[in-house]
Amino acid sequence: MFRNASLLSHSSRRTLFYQGTTPSRWRKRLQRTSLLVLGLGSFYTADRIFNASAITRNLRTLYTCAIITLDYKLNFTEEKSESIPELHARVAERMYNLFTSNGGLYIKIGQAIGANAALLPKPMQEQFSRLFDDAPQIPYPEVLRVFQAEFGRPPCGPDGVFEIFEEKAVASASIAQVHRAKLRRLAGDTEDKWVAVKIQKPDVAKQMKWDLGAYRLVMYMFEKWAFDLPVYFVVDFVSDHLRRELDFILESENAKQTAKFVASEPRLAKKVYIPRVYDEYTTKRVMTAEWISGVRLSDRTGLRLLMGESNDPTQATVPSFVNMNMSEESPPTFSFPARPLKGGVRSVMQTMVELFSAQMFSWGWVHCDGHFGNFICRPNPHDPTVPQLVLLDHGLYVRVDENFRRDWSLLWTGLLTADFKSVEQITRKWGMGLPDMFASVALARPVRLTRKNRKTEVERVTKELEEYMNLSQYEQSARLKAKLKQFLIDTDRMPKALIFLFRSMRIVQGNNQSFGAPVNRVKITGLWASKSLTRLSNLTFGQRLREYMNDLVFRGVLISLDLAFWTTRLKQRFLAFFDLKSPSFEDELEKAMRGLMRNNVGIDVGSAFKG
């Protein structure tokens, strides 16, 4: 009885103890959890308000990189060979989600990686090709704060910078957005001056150092942990150019320099226009340039309508910007001329390829963001019956010296005249192996630098392809890595400008290809390369005469290339009569190049043009 009473007493004491302590213990846990949540919430809020979410964005980057690395370490094995394509697809999706979630400079970084995505697995190529440089616009109060910080006054109003400033942006990209505005009239002005005002988004500058650090980390991960490929060597070069892209004073200087180059080239002076920059309304974060009305080349139907190759204006983008009830305060709008411009789309593409060729071979000053959205076509002010091409967005340029331009020109002429020795000498000088692969990437067309018997060579390639297709996914990936390491022998000697040149050449190829390849891009570029060799400085009279003779011979050699081009064009036009489609010259080149790269290197190259 006493024992039971003792047990009851002990049990009662335990119950009383827990009844007295449990609430206190749970209260402490709740307090700690609340403090933790409050601390994390405060950190997140402070980071968002004062640091533009830079730390949060980079924690997201670190987490994604850790997951990717772990995924490859665990699953990129010979035992899991059949699952490697799914592994590449998972990683590609994670990378794409990271770049689009973070936005801002991450989009530019993703595009920089995507510039040479052919070195990465196909899922990577496909995902990076979807990284378009557009983004929601920032609200007007933030625009107002930028103006107050840069000019000490608002965009418009009694004390404003402009007479009129449209609060809604006409375009918004990852690092900036563009508004229309009207300058105040000065003494002597006879007409209104409308301008495009490019405003840097305020978060971008705060995030830049963090974002470029993340880019360095991602490229290091690609090289050391994930893919074991030499890609980290481009980080400093790309980062420097991305930093420069955020300085709008540098961009305005780039635009003025390009305008000088265009004016000095008789073949382009009247065909190409660079909008005037207003220095008095330009700062490091705001750039003001002349407003140009016309058809963006991204509006393919609108361009065909302007050039007389389409009769359906309802599908064009441009008419949506045409104001049929123009008031005195309306900005200049574009309306189609009564008659189509002369020359067709072919003349527009001809000018585009010539402009890019002049930049590479004559000026050494290359615009590296030449996608369709950065070109406007309008009736030429000198002759309204023909088109004029307007080049926009001068933030990203690469400068190359005369020695590089000479080698680059010799490389192109050597590739097109089968001068195997010259091509191999230049590629070796630049620390590049596999001259066939380099030549094909440079021309964006298949090239075989060999003097061997063609039949023997075909048999060898066929045998290698059969062997390659019988390999497991893991073995194919291992061979790909080995080939790419042979390609990039010495990255210290490789001219880093090639990174952007190859990207720009693929963009120009894609632009031409999207309109059915109306011009022979390879021939135009090759002719410009050959002609530039005759204009090099420091040539003796004898050397210059020899270069002119070489240029004549080169033009004769290109006849066969021209025959192939026009055969394809005639085939296209013939089948068009029966509403049948035929591959363009660029389509044929790309198809052949994909086959060459897949057979010889194991790279599955994606399309030159997406979207």
Side-chain angles (χ1 to χ4, degrees):
M1 179 178 175
F2 290 109
R3 182 172 177 273
N4 290 337
S6 176
L7 287 173
L8 180 61
S9 176
H10 180 67
S11 175
S12 300
R13 286 198 302 269
R14 287 181 60 188
T15 302
L16 289 173
F17 175 78
Y18 282 116
Q19 286 177 346
T21 60
T22 299
S24 175
R25 202 176 280 180
W26 278 107
R27 192 178 299 115
K28 287 181 180 179
R29 290 177 181 174
L30 183 61
Q31 287 174 347
R32 289 170 185 170
T33 303
S34 300
L35 287 173
L36 178 63
V37 171
L38 181 62
L40 290 174
S42 300
F43 171 80
Y44 174 81
T45 303
D47 181 44
R48 183 169 57 85
I49 295 174
F50 300 108
N51 206 30
S53 300
I55 297 176
T56 304
R57 287 149 52 89
N58 283 275
L59 286 175
R60 186 184 296 126
T61 301
L62 288 172
Y63 171 78
T64 303
C65 289
I67 292 296
I68 288 173
T69 302
L70 185 63
D71 202 359
Y72 266 104
K73 289 295 183 183
L74 294 177
N75 297 309
F76 190 74
T77 62
E78 193 167 3
E79 293 77 17
K80 299 180 179 180
S81 178
E82 297 307 313
S83 301
I84 287 178
E86 288 82 1
L87 170 63
H88 291 326
R90 283 198 306 274
V91 171
E93 186 69 23
R94 286 175 183 141
M95 292 300 299
Y96 178 80
N97 290 339
L98 172 67
F99 288 129
T100 53
S101 297
N102 283 351
L105 204 60
Y106 270 75
I107 300 296
K108 294 286 184 182
I109 292 170
Q111 290 173 336
I113 297 173
N116 296 283
L119 303 180
L120 300 176
K122 190 171 183 180
M124 290 277 185
Q125 298 174 37
E126 293 173 348
Q127 291 287 8
F128 281 119
S129 70
R130 293 168 52 204
L131 281 174
F132 298 110
D133 193 11
D134 53 7
Q137 62 178 278
I138 57 173
Y140 182 69
E142 293 189 35
V143 173
L144 188 62
R145 282 196 291 272
V146 172
F147 263 81
Q148 292 283 8
E150 297 298 304
F151 296 103
R153 52 194 176 131
C156 60
D159 299 322
V161 178
F162 304 104
E163 181 181 340
I164 296 174
F165 183 88
E166 296 183 357
E167 294 187 9
K168 184 177 180 181
V170 295
S172 179
S174 56
I175 66 172
Q177 62 188 45
V178 177
H179 294 252
R180 273 189 294 217
K182 190 175 83 169
L183 300 181
R184 297 183 182 277
R185 283 203 178 198
L186 302 176
D189 286 347
T190 58
E191 59 182 22
D192 293 337
K193 294 180 179 178
W194 286 86
V195 292
V197 185
K198 183 177 180 179
I199 301 164
Q200 189 177 119
K201 296 180 176 179
D203 289 348
V204 174
K206 297 177 183 178
Q207 297 165 346
M208 179 180 65
K209 185 180 292 186
W210 292 90
D211 291 352
L212 291 180
Y215 168 55
R216 187 176 294 274
L217 174 65
V218 168
M219 296 303 279
Y220 183 87
M221 180 219 33
F222 277 175
E223 179 167 324
K224 300 296 183 181
W225 301 338
F227 303 116
D228 190 26
L229 294 174
V231 293
Y232 187 76
F233 72 96
V234 306
V235 167
D236 289 332
F237 184 81
V238 171
S239 296
D240 179 60
H241 282 77
L242 290 178
R243 286 190 197 95
R244 294 174 65 85
E245 198 171 356
L246 296 184
D247 187 338
F248 290 173
I249 293 177
L250 287 178
E251 180 173 349
S252 69
E253 294 301 318
N254 291 345
K256 287 183 278 189
Q257 179 63 68
T258 304
K260 290 178 183 177
F261 278 128
V262 170
S264 68
E265 176 50 66
R267 290 171 285 182
L268 296 171
K270 293 183 178 180
K271 294 180 180 179
V272 176
Y273 185 73
I274 310 300
R276 173 191 170 187
V277 175
Y278 291 88
D279 290 334
E280 62 271 35
Y281 305 114
T282 296
T283 68
K284 197 167 185 177
R285 294 197 293 163
V286 176
M287 190 180 86
T288 304
E290 176 184 5
W291 178 268
I292 302 292
S293 295
V295 182
R296 285 190 184 268
L297 266 60
S298 53
D299 179 10
R300 300 177 203 173
T301 305
L303 183 64
R304 291 190 185 279
L305 185 65
L306 179 66
M307 304 309 299
E309 297 183 7
S310 172
N311 298 316
D312 184 9
T314 61
Q315 298 300 316
T317 301
V318 170
S320 65
F321 296 104
V322 176
N323 184 0
M324 301 307 295
N325 300 305
M326 292 178 64
S327 67
E328 188 177 341
E329 299 298 338
S330 297
T333 55
F334 180 79
S335 58
F336 289 99
R339 293 185 177 180
L341 304 185
K342 297 176 182 178
V345 173
R346 183 177 185 277
S347 65
V348 179
M349 292 297 105
Q350 176 91 14
T351 300
M352 175 183 288
V353 178
E354 286 184 345
L355 173 61
F356 180 69
S357 300
Q359 292 175 355
M360 284 195 301
F361 301 115
S362 298
W363 308 338
W365 178 250
V366 186
H367 186 293
C368 296
D369 202 13
H371 60 78
F372 268 168
N374 284 336
F375 283 99
I376 289 176
C377 185
R378 65 173 182 175
N380 196 319
H382 303 285
D383 179 1
T385 65
V386 297
Q388 185 182 64
L389 206 56
V390 181
L391 179 60
L392 309 174
D393 195 353
H394 300 272
L396 185 58
Y397 274 83
V398 168
R399 184 185 289 277
V400 293
D401 59 28
E402 186 169 84
N403 287 332
F404 176 88
R405 283 190 285 123
R406 179 179 179 276
D407 287 344
W408 189 233
S409 299
L410 286 172
L411 181 72
W412 265 81
T413 55
L415 292 173
L416 294 175
T417 57
D419 185 356
F420 312 126
K421 186 176 180 181
S422 294
V423 173
E424 190 164 4
Q425 284 177 347
I426 293 169
T427 54
R428 295 294 177 185
K429 175 183 176 181
W430 288 349
M432 314 286 279
L434 301 178
D436 285 3
M437 177 179 171
F438 180 85
S440 299
V441 171
L443 267 69
R445 57 167 288 187
V447 177
R448 291 194 182 280
L449 301 173
T450 178
R451 297 183 183 276
K452 297 177 181 178
N453 180 274
R454 182 175 179 81
K455 182 179 178 181
T456 304
E457 188 68 6
V458 169
E459 290 175 353
R460 181 188 66 80
V461 171
T462 302
K463 182 179 178 181
E464 286 186 0
L465 177 60
E466 290 175 353
E467 292 175 355
Y468 178 80
M469 297 307 295
N470 289 327
L471 297 175
S472 67
Q473 288 285 340
Y474 180 84
E475 291 169 330
Q476 288 181 6
S477 297
R479 178 173 290 191
L480 168 60
K481 288 181 183 180
K483 287 280 188 180
L484 289 176
K485 287 178 180 178
Q486 292 175 32
F487 177 52
L488 298 172
I489 296 174
D490 187 349
T491 55
D492 291 334
R493 285 190 289 145
M494 174 187 167
K496 306 305 183 290
L498 287 172
I499 300 162
F500 287 110
L501 285 185
F502 284 155
R503 175 178 185 263
S504 296
M505 291 176 65
R506 292 287 280 171
I507 289 174
V508 171
Q509 179 197 4
N511 291 347
N512 187 40
Q513 190 173 351
S514 70
F515 280 101
V519 298
N520 189 341
R521 170 189 57 85
V522 177
K523 178 190 174 184
I524 296 169
T525 309
L527 288 174
W528 209 285
S530 179
K531 180 60 70 176
S532 70
L533 290 171
T534 68
R535 299 182 177 183
L536 291 172
S537 61
N538 302 322
L539 289 181
T540 65
F541 176 78
Q543 289 173 329
R544 199 173 300 279
L545 182 62
R546 184 164 61 250
E547 291 297 347
Y548 274 110
M549 294 299 295
N550 290 339
D551 183 51
L552 288 174
V553 173
F554 181 75
R555 290 171 183 272
V557 170
L558 289 189
I559 291 176
S560 61
L561 181 63
D562 227 15
L563 285 173
F565 170 77
W566 283 110
T567 299
T568 305
R569 290 291 289 167
L570 289 172
K571 181 181 176 183
Q572 280 182 288
R573 291 177 181 178
F574 176 76
L575 292 177
F577 279 112
F578 303 99
D579 292 327
L580 298 174
K581 290 186 177 181
S582 175
S584 69
F585 189 58
E586 293 282 12
D587 294 332
E588 296 284 3
L589 291 181
E590 183 164 298
K591 180 180 177 182
M593 193 184 89
R594 286 186 190 180
L596 180 140
M597 298 292 276
R598 188 185 299 112
N599 296 353
N600 283 14
V601 191
I603 296 178
D604 198 354
V605 180
S607 173
F609 187 82
K610 296 272 187 181

